[in-house]
């Protein structure tokens, strides 16, 4: 009973921090197999966050999503499932190491990234695949169309996560506008390492269930562009979601961290 209450307190702590997750309000079910890189990060077998399998033994997520691990509660990653209840094809692996970005700040939300190492390499197949890091780390232009995926809450009146993986279309918004009084008013400051994205009216799509999930943007090609980081007010129409942009420096940190931890067993990250 204590563990259940404690896990609930962790989820509430994430929520109060304003960085919990992406709620796919008004989203649609993802076509089976198209989200094979998605990871459900679970605390004592309860879904708390999303993540992306970028290497057979590594998941990229937001720094907030490593909280359970550092609280020494059983932290696992579920791969290869469209439904959180139906795990016929799923692989469940233990998290044995977590590395938030060394310059992560809870106050400013800067560098809100983390890597999770799994206890063994996932078996890659048609249900479980890695997602390549972006080859181009150029900034994503405002107006670019993107998709975000997650198992997050689908109804503002229901705190439960979605059973099925969902996605929704978003549009990248100018940082200047996102930093204006209309939106975030520099609290926090949306930096060049962040992307601000919402629907056609700039409304929020983040709340409870999928921080750490991937933002896939349609540039010349579809590419992995960012990580769902935070949302200050789930219900506000003027608080778009904020994503950590996979910049040159972040991609370098990701690759170097994995190489350092894997040593002679290192297999390159695409």
């Amino acid at each position: 009973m204590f563990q259940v209450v404690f896990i609930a307190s962790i989820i509430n702590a994430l929520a109060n921090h304003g960085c919990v997750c992406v709620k796919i309000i008004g989203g649609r079910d993802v076509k089976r197999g198209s989200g094979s890189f998605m990871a459900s990060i679970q605390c004592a077998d309860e879904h708390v966050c999303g993540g992306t399998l970028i290497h057979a033994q590594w998941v990229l997520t937001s720094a907030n999503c490593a909280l359970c691990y550092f609280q020494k509660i059983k932290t696992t990653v579920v791969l290869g499932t469209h439904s959180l209840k139906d795990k016929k094809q799923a692989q469940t692996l233990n998290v044995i190491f977590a590395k938030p970005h060394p310059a992560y700040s809870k106050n400013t939300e800067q560098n809100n990234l983390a890597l999770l190492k799994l206890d063994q390499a996932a078996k890659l197949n048609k249900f479980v695949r890695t997602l390549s890091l972006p080859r181009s780390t150029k900034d994503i232009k405002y107006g670019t169309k993107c998709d975000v995926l997650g198992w997050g809450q689908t109804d503002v009146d229901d705190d439960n996560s979605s059973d099925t993986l969902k996605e929704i279309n978003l549009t990248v918004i100018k940082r200047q506008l996102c930093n204006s009084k209309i939106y975030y008013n520099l609290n926090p400051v949306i930096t060049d390492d962040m992307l601000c994205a919402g629907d056609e009216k700039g409304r929020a799509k983040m709340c409870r269930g999928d921080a750490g999930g991937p933002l896939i943007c349609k540039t010349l090609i579809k590419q992995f562009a960012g990580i769902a980081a935070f949302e200050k007010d789930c219900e506000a129409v003027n608080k778009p979601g904020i994503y950590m942009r996979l910049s040159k420096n972040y991609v370098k940190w990701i690759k170097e961290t994995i190489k350092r931890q894997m040593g002679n067993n290192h297999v390159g990250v695409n």
Side-chain angles (χ1 to χ4, degrees):
M1 182 64 180
F2 171 76
Q3 190 177 53
V4 172
V5 173
F6 190 61
I7 293 168
S9 70
I10 287 179
I11 293 173
N12 287 331
L14 285 171
N16 291 333
H17 183 52
C19 311
V20 263
C21 310
V22 178
K23 64 177 179 187
I24 308 298
I25 302 295
R28 60 185 179 277
D29 282 356
V30 172
K31 182 180 178 181
R32 287 182 181 273
S34 63
S36 53
F37 48 81
M38 284 295 296
S40 167
I41 299 170
Q42 304 200 352
C43 181
D45 302 319
E46 292 290 334
H47 173 83
V48 292
C49 279
T52 306
L53 189 70
I54 59 168
H55 175 285
Q57 205 169 349
W58 289 86
V59 168
L60 179 63
T61 187
S62 73
N64 309 292
C65 297
L67 181 60
C68 229
Y69 174 83
F70 290 114
Q71 294 289 349
K72 300 187 183 303
I73 297 176
K74 176 187 173 185
T75 307
T76 54
V77 166
V78 178
L79 305 168
T81 185
H82 178 74
S83 163
L84 294 178
K85 293 178 181 177
D86 182 4
K87 298 182 180 179
K88 292 178 182 178
Q89 309 295 339
Q91 298 177 41
T92 301
L93 303 173
N94 294 318
V95 174
I96 58 171
F97 174 81
K99 179 66 176 179
H101 192 283
Y104 167 57
S105 168
K106 291 181 180 180
N107 295 325
T108 67
E109 299 297 348
Q110 293 183 34
N111 309 302
N112 193 345
L113 294 171
L115 285 162
L116 305 180
K117 185 179 180 182
L118 309 178
D119 61 346
Q120 59 184 298
K123 296 177 181 178
L124 303 183
N125 52 42
K126 66 179 182 179
F127 302 106
V128 178
R129 295 189 178 98
T130 58
L131 183 62
S132 296
L133 295 172
R135 292 185 179 181
S136 171
T137 54
K138 292 182 180 179
D139 199 5
I140 305 298
K141 295 180 180 179
Y142 71 89
T144 299
K145 302 297 182 183
C146 305
D147 296 323
V148 64
L149 290 77
W151 285 281
Q153 156 187 8
T154 59
D155 190 311
V156 294
D157 297 319
D158 184 355
D159 289 344
N160 293 322
S161 297
S162 170
D163 173 54
T164 57
L165 184 62
K166 294 186 180 293
E167 64 181 350
I168 197 164
N169 302 124
L170 304 175
T171 301
V172 176
I173 299 169
K174 283 185 178 182
R175 291 188 185 90
Q176 183 180 7
L177 179 59
C178 216
N179 277 318
S180 73
K181 292 180 179 180
I182 299 173
Y183 286 171
Y184 279 96
N185 196 24
L186 300 177
N187 181 29
V189 175
I190 310 306
T191 69
D192 288 346
D193 286 329
M194 299 175 182
L195 291 170
C196 180
D199 66 5
E200 70 279 2
K201 295 182 179 179
R203 292 177 300 192
K205 292 298 172 186
M206 298 181 108
C207 188
R208 184 186 298 272
D210 279 312
L215 183 73
I216 312 294
C217 292
K218 304 176 182 70
T219 53
L220 292 177
I221 58 172
K222 276 191 173 184
Q223 70 170 33
F224 185 15
I227 294 292
F230 70 93
E231 158 55 52
K232 285 292 184 182
D233 188 343
C234 300
E235 312 308 327
V237 298
N238 60 348
K239 293 291 190 291
I242 304 302
Y243 302 80
M244 299 312 303
R245 181 173 72 86
L246 293 179
S247 63
K248 181 179 180 180
N249 287 338
Y250 286 151
V251 171
K252 181 181 179 182
W253 171 75
I254 290 165
K255 291 182 176 181
E256 289 181 349
T257 299
I258 292 176
K259 183 177 181 179
R260 192 162 50 246
Q261 291 295 322
M262 298 293 285
N264 293 332
N265 296 321
H266 172 64
V267 177
V269 179
N270 294 327

